[in-house]
Structures are given as structure tokens and as C-alpha cells.
Amino acid sequence: MYTTRLYASLGIAGQERLITAWTRFRRLIREGVLYRKYQRQLDQTQWLDEAALAAYQEDAVAAALSYARRYVPHYRKSLSDRQTRQVFSWLETLPVIDKAWVRQHEGSLRSRLPTLSVSGGTSGSTGSPLMVRHDLASVIREQAFVDRQRAWASYRAGERRAWWRGDLIAPVARTDPPYWRLNKGENMLMLSSYHLSERTLQLYREALERFDPVIIEAYPSSVAYLAQYLKATGQQYGGKSLRAVLTSSETLSTEQRNVIEAVMGCRVFNWYGGYERVAAIGTCEHGRLHLLGDYSYVELAEVDGDLQEIIGTAFHERAMPLFRYRTGDTIEVATTGASRCPCGRAFPVVKTVVGREDDYVVTDDGRHVGRLDHIYKGIEGVAEAQIRQSASGEIVIAVVPLKSFNEGVRARLMDNAVERLGPGTPIRVETATRLPRTSNGKLRGVIREVRQETPSLAN
Ligand SMILES: [Zn+2]
């Protein structure tokens, strides 16, 4: 909507009316009878004990497989009839699939049953996005899960909130404030993630404090940028009502979490999801990350030591069901001692969401080094940063410096990088006023250009 000609043609008040009207329309669709049914269901399923949760998962997977066997062309051919009583053995007759596979089989993965559905693309750093379809019930169910996460962060429906994500609320080319719009349909201040700079941060801060939201829902990079700036200038966020910051869509680093919590004066509730909707991780009232067992069925594949990759099976997706989908995202599951959470939920506890499996660089001696946010440990005066490795192997740490950034910080950053990557890898620290975003406005922490084969000269 934000990129339509209509939106662009309106003044700020007109844009706010349009956003409000659109939101009210969307709520009409999303928050009906079905929504309330899911909400009641999720209220209950979060308290299932281990055995009941396992039974719930088994039923949901069985229903999804049976549906696919009947209505989805690809699975009509490839999925055998249920031979055993064991649902998970039935599931495991299917191969693990990935994004490339889905792209290749897209046409035959859609249900033959006509369903009202929406499609959207997953963002990616390279190549075309993967188009995934969701039926209307899936959209509504997702809304119920998001609302449950908000409730865990002690937010109640209707309270003021700030939304600071990838929506193009103000045109990127616009240099004058405001970089935000008021959405009365949701009692929400929507802020642009595309206009952050040292010049505009004070304005963002004032807008937030004036609106005084109860929660801020944001890309980690947007809210961490503000927090870094406030910390560097010796300020604290002054909003009186803020209870929580809810982050999602980008990997949240420990450094980002620490600075947000310290400066914004509240806890961070991180959420992991994905447009494929095969897995979700939320944060409970006790600050623990939980792999949501009532959202999907997840198999964990060992990647490297304590790291595991999420392979997810959707429960209720009917327009385009995905089974055993390799997400490319890795997590670290809590060890047995820490696997129980005081909240009492049986959902497994996740120690950290590490991020994308391909968020690594290759050193001169061929090592693949991931979890690169360690490089920023103890670094101040940096609003945001990105690590890029070119095809030639050179690593550039691009940083957006704040006034307090100096040669000492640069040297420390280099030391940290050399410590992890070794002295033989060419590394450079580069400053920039702005770091590139994906088409959804997300900041990727690591970008690695794939080493190309030497092109043949024959033509
Ligand atoms: Zn918990």
C-alpha cells in the first residue's frame, strides 16, 4: 500500500487516514469468529504437558499429510498411503526439502482445492524470493500467535504500540520529518526504518517519547541504532509506559539485546519466524526462548557441535503445505539442566537463535567462521555494522559510526576480528553513512559473495 500512487499523492493527514482505513478493513477480516477460536485454542495449547503436546503434534501432522495426499498434486504422487500407525515414520518417508527444491516444484505444491489465499515472497540476500501461498485461515492463525507473543510481553490489545519495521511509511527520498505516521486503526505509531541517521535520531526519540508506546515492535537493527545513539550521547529513553521491546525478522545479537535493554529500560522479547511458517520461537514472561510446539513440528539437524538447524513441518497450511522444510536457520538448544522453564510450558527452551546457517565468512586457511557478532564485543560508538566478504576473500567490516567512534574503537574492532579470523585473512574496517537493506528493509549482518568459477574464455 505504501508504494501505491494513491499513498504517494496524499499529504501526511491523508496518508494517516488511508493507513487507518486499511488497518480497520484488515482487522475486520482477521479478527472474526475464526480468530477468536484460534485465540482460545492457543490459550490452551500453551499449557499442554509434554505427552499431550506430543499427541497434539501427531494429530496435526497426520491431518496435514492426509490432506496433502488427497489435494496436493506433488504429494498425491510422492506420498504413499499411511502404512503404519506411526505418524512420524510416515512423515519421514518424505525427503528433507529446501528453498531451491520448493522453487522448482512450486506449481505442484499448491492445493487443488480452491482456497482463498495470499502469496508473498520470502526475502533473501541473493536470487529471486521464494513465493509461498497461505490460506486465509493460516493468516488468521498467524495473527493469533503474534498476539499471544504480545501477551507474553504483557501487552494488552488496544494499548499504544510502536511499529518500526520494513514498511515504507515515508518515501525513502524524503529528507524532512516526520518519518512516522499515526495509525488510529491500531493505536499505533508506525516509524520508518529507512531514515535513521545521527541527524534524525533525536527526532525519532522525541516522537516515540511523545506517543509513549507500551511496546515497540521493531527490527533489531532499528531500535538498536537508537539505543546505541542514546548510549553514546549519555541519554536514556524517557518514555514512561514502555514495558517491552519486541524484535523479529533479523538475527538479534547479544550486543544489540544488551544495549536495547540498558537504554530503553525494559526487556527484549525476541521472536523467530519466517514467511514459510514452518517454525516459530517466542520469548515467554521469564525471558526464555521457546520453540513453539503448537505452531509446527520441528526436527533439529546437527550442524556443528551445539548448533542445530531447524527443519520444520507446518501443521495447518492448506494452500501450499511444506513438509520437512530446511530453513537454513540455526539455533542452540538448552542443555538438559536448563531445559525447564519456570513458566511451566513444555515447549523446548532455546538458548540462542544463532541465525542463518550461511552467515559465515571463509578465512584464508579455509575455515568457515560463523557467530560473528562476537567481533562487536565491547565496541562502542557504532550505530550498526555489517560484515561483507567479497569473492576475492577480502573481509570488510562496514560500520555506521557515531560521534564517539574513533581510531581506538577501529583498532579494537580490528583486533577482535583478527582474533577470530586469523592474521592471514585480509580485513578492513570501513565507515559508511548508511548500510544496504534487503527489499524488505532488513539489515543482514553478514553478506558473503560466492567465489565465482573462472569464466571460460571460449565464447
Ligand atoms: Zn518459559
Side-chain angles (χ1 to χ4, degrees):
M1 184 188 72
Y2 306 102
T3 49
T4 59
R5 233 188 269 172
L6 170 65
Y7 186 79
S9 72
L10 297 168
I12 289 162
Q15 289 179 342
E16 291 189 336
R17 275 198 295 275
L18 184 64
I19 294 173
T20 301
W22 167 245
T23 302
R24 287 193 173 131
F25 169 69
R26 223 175 39 179
R27 285 185 64 179
L28 211 62
I29 295 174
R30 286 191 185 178
E31 296 180 16
V33 180
L34 195 54
Y35 171 80
R36 285 192 290 279
K37 182 188 130 189
Y38 289 139
Q39 209 180 25
R40 276 195 303 274
Q41 218 172 58
L42 299 191
D43 266 350
Q44 289 162 4
T45 52
Q46 65 179 325
W47 301 114
L48 295 177
D49 63 26
E50 237 158 276
L53 186 60
Y56 179 85
Q57 293 196 327
E58 212 172 311
D59 287 348
V61 171
L65 287 170
S66 304
Y67 177 90
R69 172 89 182 91
R70 282 184 75 174
Y71 299 116
V72 180
H74 175 79
Y75 291 111
R76 271 177 80 95
K77 275 192 283 168
S78 65
L79 186 62
S80 58
D81 276 323
R82 187 172 173 178
Q83 301 284 350
T84 88
R85 291 171 63 84
Q86 270 291 325
V87 172
F88 297 119
S89 311
W90 190 23
L91 176 67
E92 279 162 25
T93 61
L94 295 173
V96 171
I97 58 174
D98 61 12
K99 194 177 260 191
W101 186 94
V102 174
R103 191 174 285 136
Q104 207 184 335
H105 295 81
E106 216 180 306
S108 63
L109 289 174
R110 294 197 186 139
S111 168
R112 286 189 313 138
L113 275 193
T115 40
L116 195 57
S117 60
V118 292
S119 72
T122 62
S123 72
S125 56
T126 52
S128 53
L130 172 66
M131 296 308 280
V132 180
R133 294 195 82 79
H134 295 299
D135 56 292
L136 187 61
S138 155
V139 173
I140 296 170
R141 190 180 310 102
E142 186 74 9
Q143 184 64 47
F145 273 101
V146 169
D147 286 340
R148 187 174 73 180
Q149 171 64 81
R150 289 179 182 141
W152 289 3
S154 73
Y155 171 83
R156 289 181 294 271
E159 289 182 315
R160 288 184 310 284
R161 64 193 165 101
W163 180 262
W164 197 357
R165 295 170 47 83
D167 306 276
L168 272 165
I169 297 145
V172 175
R174 189 189 170 92
T175 51
D176 302 327
Y179 314 109
W180 43 83
R181 300 287 183 274
L182 184 63
N183 179 344
K184 288 186 189 156
E186 296 241 19
N187 199 9
M188 166 164 88
L189 187 69
M190 303 178 76
L191 302 103
S192 163
S193 283
Y194 301 87
H195 295 83
L196 285 162
S197 72
E198 212 165 358
R199 187 179 67 80
T200 61
L201 277 168
Q202 199 60 32
L203 299 171
Y204 273 94
R205 177 237 174 112
E206 286 162 15
L208 277 169
E209 289 181 355
R210 219 171 21 245
F211 184 71
D212 195 23
V214 166
I215 55 169
I216 298 175
E217 295 176 290
Y219 284 164
S221 60
S222 299
V223 65
Y225 198 136
L226 176 69
Q228 290 287 8
Y229 163 77
L230 293 179
K231 187 177 176 197
T233 49
Q235 305 177 74
Q236 275 277 326
Y237 171 74
K240 295 280 174 286
S241 307
L242 191 65
R243 285 182 215 141
V245 171
L246 280 72
T247 54
S248 60
S249 306
E250 298 169 348
T251 308
L252 171 76
S253 71
T254 314
E255 299 293 304
Q256 286 175 323
R257 175 191 289 276
N258 290 346
V259 71
I260 296 169
E261 293 192 335
V263 173
M264 304 305 283
C266 66
R267 274 195 305 175
V268 172
F269 289 72
N270 195 30
W271 171 267
Y272 162 88
Y275 197 74
E276 295 94 335
R277 296 192 186 153
V278 296
I281 295 170
T283 306
C284 77
E285 306 84 344
H286 291 264
R288 305 267 176 100
L289 290 161
H290 286 283
L291 182 61
L292 305 181
D294 56 352
Y295 184 93
S296 67
Y297 174 68
V298 167
E299 299 167 76
L300 292 172
E302 194 164 309
V303 176
D304 173 24
D306 44 7
L307 284 195
Q308 292 170 304
E309 184 183 354
I310 297 174
I311 295 171
T313 289
F315 282 161
H316 305 287
E317 297 293 324
R318 293 298 182 254
M320 190 174 166
L322 296 178
F323 299 103
R324 310 193 80 200
Y325 179 81
R326 181 183 284 271
T327 58
D329 294 317
T330 53
I331 58 173
E332 196 182 321
V333 179
T335 46
T336 345
S339 64
R340 280 269 150 213
C341 180
C343 75
R345 295 183 184 90
F347 301 149
V349 175
V350 173
K351 206 167 145 197
T352 37
V353 178
V354 177
R356 298 162 56 99
E357 203 202 344
D358 59 353
D359 276 354
Y360 64 84
V361 294
V362 185
T363 60
D364 66 316
D365 52 358
R367 287 179 300 129
H368 288 205
V369 181
R371 310 174 96 167
L372 291 158
D373 61 309
H374 291 289
I375 285 178
Y376 308 116
K377 209 163 192 168
I379 298 294
E380 298 193 356
V382 169
E384 52 186 27
Q386 184 172 58
I387 295 171
R388 299 183 204 130
Q389 184 163 38
S390 64
S392 69
E394 189 195 34
I395 292 167
V396 171
I397 306 172
V399 300
V400 175
L402 294 166
K403 280 202 184 76
S404 54
F405 184 83
N406 55 31
E407 286 311 306
V409 179
R410 183 194 291 266
R412 204 168 322 127
L413 198 53
M414 274 301 283
D415 286 349
N416 286 357
V418 171
E419 190 182 282
R420 295 197 85 81
L421 304 173
T425 308
I427 307 170
R428 218 154 32 89
V429 175
E430 205 177 83
T431 55
T433 49
R434 174 110 196 110
L435 297 177
R437 300 305 209 254
T438 68
S439 57
N440 292 341
K442 294 183 202 173
L443 176 66
R444 289 210 47 203
V446 182
I447 293 177
R448 196 182 66 262
E449 279 176 36
V450 178
R451 203 178 284 258
Q452 299 291 325
E453 296 294 324
T454 314
S456 163
L457 290 174
N459 204 341

